[in-house]
């Protein structure tokens, strides 16, 4: 029997976490040994929640806050599953997500990381648009462009735990960009791909945006150095490595200073009002 652990790390026990966990508990997973690993990253004021009594949920409580990279590394180290899936604590796994992703991975064992496209929603759960979609519904290889930018919604990924360990796992020293760093290292050991079907809802809200600016800026320089080294492995010409990395680094700092919006902010502003609440149409 295939085993899958869905991993959520969190710093607060709130209604958004409850909705995230419930969306995973609602997944139809016949023939799959499926459980949800929730990591409380540091002291968290907890409330009684029905989902905590479900035997498919395993809670790990860490006394000291480690940041996203450190918490993910700690939780996944406790997993023994064949595959590990991610979901952010304020996002939603759409019906069929787990079953569809594992089917692709089982049929394509050379894929090291598989993301999906995502619906963009606001604080109230209203659909604003779609991220990462091209419209053909197939599996899109994104490895070749990884050294330039991150085309994968972290909350949507599923990966082989063995390949994750071969790549060295999440870097516990990173509090931002931990996903981008891992994806590039995973690309060295296998394919990195996106299933062109929205299987998660990615929630965009003000608290999420503002609290990330400072940490993004602090981590950008280190990621730029790694970006150049990975591009070198890909045999990207030196002048292209320098040009692309410099442009990416400049974009990150302009965003930190408020002179440029993050990609998902710009998309959300464009898409708002153009997609029905039921998500029947794709965003632009």
């Amino acid at each position: 029997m295939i085993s899958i652990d869905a991993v959520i790390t969190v710093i607060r026990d709130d209604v958004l976490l409850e909705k995230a966990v419930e969306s995973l508990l609602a997944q139809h997973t016949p023939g799959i040994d499926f459980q949800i690993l929730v990591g409380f990253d540091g002291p968290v004021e907890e409330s009684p929640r029905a989902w905590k009594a479900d035997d498919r949920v395993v809670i790990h409580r860490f006394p000291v806050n480690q940041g996203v990279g450190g918490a993910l590394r700690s939780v996944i180290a406790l997993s023994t599953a064949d595959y590990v899936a991610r979901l952010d604590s304020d996002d939603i796994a759409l019906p069929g997500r787990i079953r569809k992703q594992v089917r692709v991975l089982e049929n394509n064992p050379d894929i090291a990381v598989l993301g999906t496209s995502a619906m963009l929603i606001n604080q109230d759960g209203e659909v604003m648009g779609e991220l990462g979609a091209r419209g053909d519904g197939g599996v899109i290889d994104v490895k070749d462009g990884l050294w330039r930018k991150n085309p994968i919604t972290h909350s949507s990924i599923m990966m082989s735990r063995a390949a994750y360990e071969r790549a060295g796992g999440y870097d516990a020293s990173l509090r931002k960009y931990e996903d981008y760093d891992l994806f590039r290292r995973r690309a060295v050991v296998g394919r990195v791909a996106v299933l062109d079907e929205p299987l998660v809802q990615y929630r965009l809200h003000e608290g999420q945006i503002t609290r990330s600016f400072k940490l993004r800026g602090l981590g950008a320089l280190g990621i730029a150095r790694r970006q150049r080294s990975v591009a070198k492995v890909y045999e990207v010409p030196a002048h292209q490595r320098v040009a692309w990395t410099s442009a990416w680094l400049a974009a990150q700092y302009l965003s930190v200073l408020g002179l440029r919006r993050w990609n998902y902010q710009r998309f959300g502003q464009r898409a708002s009002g153009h997609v029905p609440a039921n998500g029947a149409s794709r965003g632009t």
Side-chain angles (χ1 to χ4, degrees), residues 109-176:
D110 57 332
I111 295 180
V113 179
L114 179 68
T116 77
S117 55
M119 288 184 178
L120 185 69
I121 60 173
N122 64 15
Q123 175 72 35
D124 299 320
E126 298 170 333
V127 177
M128 300 169 65
E130 195 168 306
L131 295 173
R134 299 186 184 182
D136 63 8
V139 177
I140 304 165
D141 283 285
V142 297
K143 175 178 176 176
D144 288 345
L146 267 176
W147 68 273
R148 294 193 299 268
K149 63 180 181 179
N150 182 10
I152 303 174
T153 300
H154 192 195
S155 195
S156 75
I157 69 166
M158 183 181 290
M159 52 191 174
S160 156
R161 188 175 57 83
Y164 163 85
E165 291 176 351
R166 287 198 301 273
Y170 286 101
D171 186 338
S173 70
L174 296 176
R175 287 182 172 259
K176 285 291 175 185

Side-chain angles (χ1 to χ4, degrees), residues 68-69 173-181 208 211-217 219-220 223:
V68 178
S173 70
L174 296 176
R175 287 182 172 259
K176 285 291 175 185
Y177 304 110
E178 74 290 331
D179 53 341
Y180 189 21
D181 172 68
Q208 169 202 48
R211 72 169 178 259
S212 69
F213 280 178
K214 183 177 181 181
L215 290 174
R216 283 182 183 270
I223 291 297

Side-chain angles (χ1 to χ4, degrees), residues 93-110:
L94 292 173
R97 176 198 163 175
I98 298 298
R99 177 173 45 83
K100 290 177 180 180
Q101 282 188 285
V102 77
R103 181 189 302 146
V104 171
L105 289 171
E106 284 286 286
N107 291 332
N108 299 271
D110 57 332

